[in-house]
Amino acid sequence: MSGKIVILTGAGISAESGLGTFRDVDGLWTQYDLNEVATPEGFERNPKLVLEFYNARRANCLGAAPNAAHEALARLQEGWAGEVVIVTQNVDDLHERGGARDVIHMHGQLDRALCADCGHRWDAPKEMFVEDACPKCSAPATRPDIVWFGEIPYAMDGIMDHLAGCETFVAIGTSGEVYPAAGFVHQARAVGARTVEINLEPSSVVSAFEETWFGPATEKVPEWVGRLLG
Ligand code: OAD
């Protein structure tokens, strides 16, 4: 086998780097109301609260380091004869700092800012404030470049093209609760791809996968990559 591998990652791959997941017992959505901090309506109601929430996420991310799972995926990109495409729902940059290339951030990035008025994007400062002006149009409409609930994920056309041409699809550290990402396994199966789930516990869509590896990402991902690279 040397065909295209498409990898979908979620919060579980960064959990052992110290970044919280969303839906586990101590997850972010058990501590915060996602309607208040992760929707365009929440941002309109209380931009300060939303910016502070993402300022805290950005600070956590800056203090975290990539783990053995991120690094194993970078090794796979380097050593595999075919193309290895990493699509992440994560807004951290641990894949990149772990050595991965051309990561597709379908839910945006903590280290990028977006003008809600003119759509301009730029590198986010460590902390964002309500009064921050867009460097292009000067509107005080700075928001994190994060895809919120009710918004359309980034790069969907490209992701669909990759899925249509993949030989293997693997989902790592994602609960399968959020679409469209949770449906990628079906698109991959429709083209006859081998499907693999690597997660701490079975996800909501586990029955769609042919092969499953359960355990911490820092153990299971290097094991799986080791098997592929022989
Ligand atoms: P979730 O918090 O929904 O799921 C995390 C998954 O990782 C769960 O299935 C856990 O069992 C698993 N997990 C936890 N620790 C792990 C470990 N050490 N090794 C392997 N797996 C582990 O996070 P996501 O599926 O990424 O979107 O959530 C999807 C989206 O929902 C996020 O991108 C975010 C969130 O709302 C937005 O904010 C727009």
Side-chain angles (χ1 to χ4, degrees):
M1 282 206 319
S2 62
K4 183 189 278 199
I5 301 174
V6 175
I7 300 168
L8 171 71
T9 65
I13 197 166
S14 297
E16 291 162 87
S17 292
L19 301 185
T21 64
F22 295 96
R23 296 176 181 77
D24 291 307
V25 277
D26 52 353
L28 283 170
W29 297 156
T30 66
Q31 301 163 49
Y32 296 89
D33 180 349
L34 72 84
N35 293 302
E36 297 307 322
V37 298
T39 62
E41 296 77 19
F43 185 61
E44 249 174 57
R45 277 193 297 273
N46 193 344
K48 185 168 180 283
L49 176 80
V50 175
L51 293 181
E52 282 172 359
F53 174 75
Y54 286 102
N55 286 344
R57 307 276 76 72
R58 196 175 300 109
N60 285 352
C61 179
L62 282 169
N67 65 46
H70 299 105
E71 286 162 2
L73 295 186
R75 275 202 305 283
L76 184 63
Q77 271 189 326
E78 200 58 41
W80 186 248
E83 195 181 356
V84 177
V85 178
I86 300 176
V87 179
T88 188
Q89 298 167 89
N90 297 345
V91 295
D92 65 56
D93 61 351
L94 296 184
H95 281 302
E96 287 87 348
R97 285 199 267 143
R101 282 176 283 108
D102 304 324
V103 179
I104 300 174
H105 282 270
M106 63 179 290
H107 288 170
Q109 294 173 247
L110 277 172
D111 57 11
R112 300 283 289 165
L114 166 68
C115 175
D117 259 22
C118 76
H120 180 61
R121 290 185 167 81
W122 67 99
D123 285 340
K126 275 188 185 171
E127 290 193 300
M128 290 166 63
F129 301 98
V130 176
E131 56 277 8
D132 288 351
C134 166
K136 190 163 176 220
C137 75
S138 302
T142 296
R143 56 168 277 184
D145 191 8
I146 305 284
V147 177
W148 287 325
F149 288 91
E151 298 182 321
I152 298 166
Y154 293 149
M156 285 307 296
D157 289 349
I159 295 170
M160 287 301 144
D161 285 348
H162 285 307
L163 288 168
C166 76
E167 186 179 273
T168 302
F169 171 75
V170 56
I172 302 172
T174 178
S175 61
E177 293 286 343
V178 176
Y179 285 80
F184 290 172
V185 62
H186 300 294
Q187 272 109 35
R189 284 197 75 146
V191 296
R194 173 149 198 84
T195 52
V196 184
E197 172 166 290
I198 306 176
N199 211 36
L200 198 55
E201 52 196 32
S203 76
S204 302
V205 290
V206 67
S207 59
F209 290 87
E210 295 164 291
E211 185 181 329
T212 51
W213 298 55
F214 297 123
T218 55
E219 285 175 24
K220 297 298 164 187
V221 176
E223 250 176 80
W224 175 73
V225 166
R227 186 187 283 185
L228 285 191
L229 294 181

